[in-house]
Amino acid sequence: YGRVDRQKLDILVPAAFLMEIGKIVIANELKENHKADEFKTALQNINSPQELSALEKKFVGFCNEDITAKIFEQWNLENELVEAIKNSNTPETATDDIKAYALALKIVKNAINSSAQLSDDSISNALKIIEENKLSKENFLEAVEKAKS
């Protein structure tokens, strides 16, 4: 995204680094309710960030994105950052001013997540999202190559 719109980086960089903060709360909740082992077993069947969010909701009632957004809202962080994270699984539901941020985060978390970090499958999943949204595959693949080297 850096080559496409540098102004968006003020939101995207911290959002990409911090969007998993809610997982700490989820892990604690699972441990306190003695559901950690059951969650780990169910986690083996997860193939996407969207499936993971659904699993988190099933076990604790909230997903990482909702928890992270709520924490950042309480900390009075920028609304764009909060909303981008909250809508990162479903950018199409975001308001027009947030969609590009949420879409970029969706691409990032499909390429790099707890089950795959720039694997062939995760890159393929991210490329599908890129193609569906008519974004530049070349820019993405160049960024992947830089990250891998």
Side-chain angles (χ1 to χ4, degrees):
Y1 240 92
R3 193 187 292 166
V4 179
D5 189 346
R6 287 221 170 269
Q7 291 181 336
K8 289 192 176 2
L9 292 179
D10 289 343
I11 298 298
L12 290 175
V13 170
F17 281 108
L18 300 171
M19 68 180 164
E20 303 294 334
I21 295 286
K23 291 199 182 319
I24 297 167
V25 175
I26 290 171
N28 188 56
E29 187 72 19
L30 290 168
K31 187 176 177 182
E32 283 185 7
N33 291 303
H34 310 289
K35 294 181 179 180
D37 290 336
E38 184 182 353
F39 185 82
K40 281 183 192 176
T41 300
L43 196 55
Q44 295 173 358
N45 299 316
I46 297 301
N47 296 310
S48 73
Q50 294 76 20
E51 289 178 9
L52 178 56
S53 290
L55 183 67
E56 291 166 347
K57 284 182 181 181
K58 177 182 173 186
F59 273 81
V60 298
F62 297 95
C63 65
N64 166 67
E65 295 78 13
D66 292 339
I67 294 169
T68 301
K70 196 56 149 172
I71 290 169
F72 292 165
E73 186 180 301
Q74 293 297 310
W75 290 351
N76 294 315
L77 296 183
E78 289 109 324
N79 185 57
E80 291 89 352
L81 184 137
V82 171
E83 291 299 316
I85 291 171
K86 184 192 258 181
N87 291 285
S88 62
N89 281 333
T90 54
E92 63 278 2
T93 63
T95 58
D96 288 342
D97 59 323
I98 300 299
K99 280 183 185 177
Y101 297 114
L103 179 58
L105 293 179
K106 182 176 183 176
I107 292 166
V108 167
K109 69 185 190 176
N110 273 273
I112 303 168
N113 56 66
S114 57
S115 62
Q117 297 80 40
L118 298 177
S119 69
D120 290 343
D121 286 341
S122 69
I123 291 169
S124 176
N125 290 339
L127 283 170
K128 286 177 192 169
I129 298 165
I130 289 167
E131 289 170 3
E132 288 168 2
N133 289 277
K134 298 174 178 59
L135 298 173
S136 171
K137 291 190 315 187
E138 293 75 23
N139 288 347
F140 172 75
L141 291 172
E142 184 179 314
V144 167
E145 286 308 311
K146 283 182 182 177
K148 285 184 166 185
S149 58

